[in-house]
Amino acid sequence: MSQYSRLIFFGPPGAGKGTQAKKISQECNIPHIATGDILRNAIAQQTEIGKKAQSYVENGDLVPDDVLAALVRDRLQQPDAQAGWILDGFPRTLQQAHFLDQLLQELNSDYDLVIYLDVPDNILVQRLLGRGRKDDTEETIRHRLDVFHNETAEVINLYQQRNHFLQVDGNQPLPQVTERIKTLINQGS
Ligand code: AMP
């Protein structure tokens, strides 16, 4: 394998991780697995998962772990995910992180790199308000930042204690952040 291709992207809401993950996905030809996108899609189509997730997503709360576990288990076993993937928005809780460890072991796989996009809160609120997504009201934005700091930070701590954790300054122009991430991924060459 010429580069790191199984990547976990972390970052608070609004850090640009979705945008960066999409870019890297296209340039490196590996699927971008964004659990938020998958859930919003499922809600729009009113699938079983969508119905279970709807009220949580609309309130900016975390969808229950068992829903996410089933979704990620299925997605990582699709043919297009065999040569690599970018996980964006998962894992978000310690239970999800432990689930992912077990799943990857079961699939005889592992992750190569965890990338954390770091951006200060005040910049995040400005960026998110400008995005105008349906679940991006000022109230849900503040709530999602609280959820991130309260729950997801401990997941980041877990990965930080392991190898292959890299922090990137996300408060930079988009192309610069992309280049930085590509450099880190290519260190796997
Ligand atoms: P995002 O697009 O990543 O900001 O996710 C949007 C919403 O989807 C979140 O506010 C949660 O309600 C839900 N969601 C996405 N990923 C997860 C996850 N890993 N665990 C629980 N809820 C999630």
Side-chain angles (χ1 to χ4, degrees):
M1 203 160 288
S2 63
Q3 59 190 8
Y4 291 134
S5 61
R6 288 165 302 194
L7 315 170
I8 301 174
F9 275 35
F10 275 120
K17 76 179 154 48
T19 307
Q20 294 299 337
K22 221 167 276 173
K23 274 237 165 71
I24 300 293
S25 159
Q26 285 162 357
E27 294 191 20
C28 302
N29 204 21
I30 44 178
H32 172 209
I33 301 177
T35 48
D37 289 349
I38 295 173
L39 289 170
R40 275 186 293 275
N41 226 345
I43 292 168
Q45 296 181 4
Q46 285 293 294
T47 64
E48 281 311 305
I49 283 186
K51 286 179 195 161
K52 282 186 197 161
Q54 185 154 15
S55 63
Y56 299 98
V57 172
E58 286 177 357
N59 291 324
D61 287 323
L62 291 180
V63 174
D65 288 332
D66 60 326
V67 176
L68 269 295
L71 188 155
V72 171
R73 171 184 288 280
D74 177 67
R75 187 64 188 87
L76 286 188
Q77 292 185 82
Q78 298 296 316
D80 68 335
Q82 299 318 300
W85 33 260
I86 302 174
L87 274 179
D88 167 6
F90 184 92
R92 259 193 174 79
T93 64
L94 281 179
Q95 201 183 325
Q96 291 179 11
H98 295 312
F99 165 80
L100 182 63
D101 284 342
Q102 279 170 15
L103 177 65
L104 292 176
Q105 205 173 5
E106 210 180 290
L107 300 177
N108 257 323
S109 185
D110 203 353
Y111 64 86
D112 299 319
L113 204 59
V114 176
I115 292 176
Y116 177 60
L117 269 187
D118 188 34
V119 179
D121 272 10
N122 59 335
I123 307 280
L124 294 173
V125 174
Q126 282 172 29
R127 282 192 189 177
L128 285 166
L129 279 174
R131 188 162 79 169
R133 208 171 67 188
K134 192 180 164 212
D135 55 339
D136 280 345
T137 65
E138 191 159 356
E139 202 187 335
T140 57
I141 287 170
R142 270 202 231 101
H143 184 54
R144 288 219 304 282
L145 282 174
D146 282 347
V147 170
F148 176 78
H149 289 303
N150 291 337
E151 299 190 34
T152 311
E154 60 183 9
V155 180
I156 293 165
N157 287 340
L158 172 80
Y159 286 103
Q160 210 159 10
Q161 288 160 23
R162 300 178 178 177
N163 294 326
H164 305 285
F165 178 95
L166 294 167
Q167 190 157 322
V168 171
D169 180 4
N171 194 17
Q172 301 283 324
L174 282 178
Q176 217 162 298
V177 178
T178 309
E179 280 313 305
R180 177 76 189 126
I181 295 172
K182 278 168 69 181
T183 303
L184 297 174
I185 292 175
N186 285 323
Q187 285 173 359
S189 303

